[in-house]
């Protein structure tokens, strides 16, 4: 799951784990800015204590330094740091990728085919070596919330779309965002599926 909402109750994370969630991804800066969120480390601690793996992102990929710095000593526990490439935002640069890598954290690109094309151009394949978290949700109602018996979450559903050098041959996406703005125990979250083999 990913969320940019404040969560102050440790029991929320325990309930998320019990419901079947295994990865918590939080926004570590104020929405659309490079200002670190003071609650970042507390939320990471609660998630880890509940047994969840953790990762982080910033809405503006240029804020990767501040986003990683906001995680403090939890930086070494991050599964990855996502560079958010969305329509209306800045383009991705190789310097952003190498910057995240130089901090000791794996970079992941969060984007979707239409968003990537809008910003980077369909022919841009120079970032195909970086893991992709695809914002390509399945139609509403097709995938259940995790923890329910009929949850058919799958990295291959919806079918991968080739763009940006990803989703071709052996270089498939490692994550898919399947539901936007779902409510779990009073908190808005997005629901994702990630390849277990990608996570530590």
């Amino acid at each position: 799951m990913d969320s940019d909402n404040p969560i102050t109750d440790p029991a929320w994370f325990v309930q998320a784990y019990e419901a079947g969630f295994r990865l918590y991804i939080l926004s570590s800066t104020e929405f659309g800015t490079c200002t670190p969120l003071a609650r970042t480390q507390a939320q990471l601690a609660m998630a880890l204590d509940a047994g969840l793996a953790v990762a982080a992102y910033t809405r503006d990929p240029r804020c990767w330094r501040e986003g990683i710095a906001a995680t403090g000593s939890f930086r070494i526990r991050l599964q990855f740091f996502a560079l958010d490439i969305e329509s209306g935002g800045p383009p991705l640069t190789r310097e952003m990728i190498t910057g995240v890598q130089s901090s000791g954290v794996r970079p992941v690109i969060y984007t979707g085919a239409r968003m990537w094309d809008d910003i980077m151009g369909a022919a841009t394949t120079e970032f195909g070596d970086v893991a992709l978290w695809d914002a390509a949700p399945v139609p509403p109602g097709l995938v259940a919330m995790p923890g329910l018996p009929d949850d058919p979450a799958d990295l291959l559903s919806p079918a991968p779309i080739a763009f940006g050098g990803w989703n071709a041959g052996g270089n498939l996406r490692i994550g898919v965002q399947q539901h936007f703005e779902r409510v779990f125990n009073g908190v808005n979250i997005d629901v994702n599926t990630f390849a277990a083999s990608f996570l530590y």
Side-chain angles (χ1 to χ4, degrees):
M1 78 184 98
D2 70 274
S3 181
D4 59 4
N5 292 295
I7 306 166
T8 57
D9 184 359
W12 188 93
F13 291 96
V14 172
Q15 292 161 356
Y17 186 89
E18 290 171 351
F21 291 100
R22 292 297 178 263
L23 175 66
Y24 171 63
I25 312 163
L26 84 164
S27 176
S28 55
T29 61
E30 297 283 349
F31 183 84
T33 76
C34 294
T35 304
L37 279 170
R39 65 177 183 257
T40 297
Q41 293 177 44
Q43 288 186 203
L44 289 173
M46 288 185 285
L48 288 164
D49 286 347
L52 295 162
V54 295
Y57 70 96
T58 56
R59 283 297 175 114
D60 186 332
R62 296 171 295 194
C63 299
W64 64 266
R65 286 180 192 84
E66 294 85 355
I68 292 174
T71 67
S73 62
F74 293 103
R75 176 186 55 81
I76 62 172
R77 303 286 301 273
L78 295 178
Q79 296 291 311
F80 58 82
F81 184 85
L83 297 160
D84 191 346
I85 308 302
E86 295 191 43
S87 300
L92 180 66
T93 66
R94 183 52 69 172
E95 289 73 25
M96 294 173 188
I97 298 294
T98 57
V100 172
Q101 290 170 327
S102 70
S103 72
V105 181
R106 290 190 298 182
V108 165
I109 295 171
Y110 168 85
T111 193
R114 187 170 15 118
M115 294 186 291
W116 182 263
D117 291 354
D118 287 348
I119 297 173
M120 305 298 297
T124 302
T125 60
E126 65 184 287
F127 299 103
D129 60 312
V130 183
L132 171 65
W133 171 15
D134 193 355
V138 295
L142 185 59
V143 177
M145 289 286 283
L148 298 180
D150 61 347
D151 181 14
D154 189 333
L155 285 174
L156 299 179
S157 177
I161 300 169
F163 71 96
W166 293 288
N167 298 344
N171 194 21
L172 294 176
R173 59 193 170 193
I174 52 85
V176 181
Q177 190 170 56
Q178 289 157 315
H179 287 302
F180 296 89
E181 295 299 314
R182 295 299 170 101
V183 177
F184 179 78
N185 287 349
V187 177
N188 277 8
I189 63 169
D190 297 328
V191 180
N192 307 270
T193 295
F194 279 85
S197 60
F198 181 75
L199 304 177
Y200 298 137

